[in-house]
């Protein structure tokens, strides 16, 4: 099958294509209400499992917590091995949303 047959527009048409906006008029109000509800939701950690990591300078955990309306959110959390003011940054990868899966652990190895 010719790749050109997979699309109903030419490459040039796709470069200039702008889809019709479908955002409802009340979307901003809906979004604000959702954020307010989330702000009132206490953090509830459901799971925290250590992940092997080849350096003692970083501690990695597979975590799960309750998100909006109790939805389970899973992530990788990387913390400094030794916490000092200079290195107190952390890294959180919401891999189910970003599609990275375990690649996040491999990305951390390059930091």
């Amino acid at each position: 099958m010719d790749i050109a047959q997979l699309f109903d527009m030419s490459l040039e048409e796709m470069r200039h294509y702008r889809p019709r906006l479908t955002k409802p008029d009340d979307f901003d109000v809906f979004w604000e209400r959702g954020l307010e509800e989330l702000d009132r939701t206490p953090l509830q950690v459901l799971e925290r499992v250590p992940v092997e990591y080849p350096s003692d300078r970083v501690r990695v955990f597979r975590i799960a917590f309750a998100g909006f309306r109790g939805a389970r959110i899973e992530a990788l959390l990387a913390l400094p091995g030794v916490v000092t003011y200079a290195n107190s940054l952390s890294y959180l990868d919401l891999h189910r949303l970003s599609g990275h899966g375990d690649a996040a652990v491999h990305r951390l190895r390059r930091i």
Side-chain angles (χ1 to χ4, degrees):
M1 175 186 282
D2 184 6
I3 190 87
Q5 295 174 341
L6 296 176
F7 306 99
D8 60 357
M9 283 187 248
S10 70
L11 179 58
E12 192 59 31
E13 287 174 310
M14 284 192 270
R15 284 186 176 136
H16 299 287
Y17 175 71
R18 299 295 175 260
R20 174 174 72 81
L21 298 179
T22 57
K23 178 178 159 184
D25 292 337
D26 65 345
F27 180 79
D28 292 330
V29 173
F30 160 79
W31 192 255
E32 280 303 314
R33 285 184 187 152
L35 291 176
E36 289 167 4
E37 183 178 336
L38 193 55
D39 282 343
R40 292 188 304 271
T41 303
L43 178 61
Q44 180 186 4
V45 177
L46 305 172
E47 183 178 343
R48 188 179 113 171
V49 179
V51 174
E52 264 190 59
Y53 194 72
S55 170
D56 61 356
R57 298 183 69 184
V58 177
R59 296 176 296 145
V60 179
F61 300 90
R62 228 176 251 294
I63 64 168
F65 57 93
F68 186 72
R69 296 190 178 167
R72 182 181 174 96
I73 308 294
E74 296 185 11
L76 290 175
L77 173 65
L79 301 170
V82 177
V83 178
T84 66
Y85 179 75
N87 75 351
S88 60
L89 295 176
S90 300
Y91 175 84
L92 178 65
D93 184 63
L94 300 170
H95 62 284
R96 291 231 173 151
L97 299 175
S98 63
H100 297 305
D102 288 336
V105 173
H106 301 295
R107 263 199 323 275
L108 287 172
R109 290 181 183 150
R110 292 192 298 255
I111 290 177

